Amino acid sequence: MKASSTEAADLYRQMLRIRRFEEAILEAFPRGLIFGTTHTYIGQEANAVGVLSQRQNEDIVISNHRCHGHFLASGGSMSALAAEMMGRSTGVCAGRGGSQHLHWDNFFSSGILGGTLPLAVGMAFAQKAQQSGQIVFAFTGDGALGEGVVYESLNMASLWTCPVLFVLENNRYAQTTPVEVNLAGGIGERFRSFGIPTDEQDTTDVAKIEACARSAVDHVRNGKGPYALIIHTYRFAPHSRGDDMRDPAEIERFRQRDPLKIQATSLKKSVLAQLDVEVRTEVEDAFNQAETASMADPASLTYPIDLIR
Ligand SMILES: Cc1ncc(C[n+]2csc(CCOP(=O)(O)OP(=O)(O)O)c2C)c(N)n1
Ligand SMILES: [Mg+2]
């Protein structure tokens, strides 16, 4: 089924929002505006946007350290995300979580590699028990496949027919380690050995990812149990901010399949120009709002300690 021009433009707009937001984050760092570290989603935008186009309002999304794209594609507020990273009281978690630790509505992220999968499976099991009809989208990277807890989670997800879609974003590196150096066998086999069906795609075409996500989500939503969508992708920016040991020629080669460039080919120049202005304005406004907000109140951090006492 071919997307209408409005749908095609919306997919592009959502990817552009993530791209421009992440670029602004990288620019804000040297200005001393951001606390902690950050992992940008530049180059991987088609995954979040394509997959989460199939999300229904009450569905749950669980993400990892590279979570900004997933958050924005889930409908999260751009200004609250910028504020969170600047430690402001108006941030997603009132400025206490930073780049990696977000909780808003049914969106959760954590920087503990692999640790998000048992959470995802537990939440999916709860949805099944409550017959809520909600499903869980669990985004994870290739590097997390080195964590043992991932396999306990896959086992339980399959055994208990949990409504969870695993989205494995293989950007071919875990920090600076190429996937070939730390992963024996294949990625798909790891899921299939637990009886979890897979779809494996090497693409940055958002329309294609959306179509694959549609069948994957159909499977999960219809009570058939977990499913894994494995997407071979690439990040254009460093792992976090400056740690890049990849061959520049390799990065350049992958830039030829920039998801934004691919999607732009199906849109008119006038539409692209209009979206460019709209998104630039949105990002500028988001950063201005965040920058002028009050800092997080350190006193609010004592809340969990009081609870223990
Ligand atoms: C349990 C744990 N070990 C180590 C780290 C440090 N760490 C942060 S990101 C990362 C690599 C992640 O690689 P991958 O899962 O492929 O995600 P990508 O960064 O490529 O998106 C590591 C080792 C961590 N956050 N958590
Ligand atoms: Mg990776």
Side-chain angles (χ1 to χ4, degrees), residues 74-91:
S74 298
S77 151
M78 188 185 282
S79 60
L81 181 56
E84 184 60 37
M85 296 174 66
M86 293 183 201
R88 310 290 164 148
S89 57
T90 52

Side-chain angles (χ1 to χ4, degrees), residues 39 44 64-66 100 111-113 140-144 147 169 171 173-175 235 239:
H39 307 86
Q44 298 183 210
N64 58 2
H65 57 288
R66 202 172 294 288
Q100 306 178 71
I112 312 293
L113 219 59
T140 191
D142 47 286
E147 297 288 346
E169 296 183 76
N171 60 11
Y173 289 87
Q175 214 145 341
R235 63 171 157 76
H239 168 72

Side-chain angles (χ1 to χ4, degrees), residues 7 12 53 55 107 116 132 141 175 184 211 235 264 276:
E7 286 164 7
Y12 180 84
S53 65
R55 173 186 148 268
F107 183 95
T116 50
S132 72
Q175 214 145 341
R235 63 171 157 76
D276 186 57

Side-chain angles (χ1 to χ4, degrees), residues 9 48 75 176 225 232 266 280 288:
T176 50
H232 302 287
S266 57
R280 273 181 203 284
N288 285 339

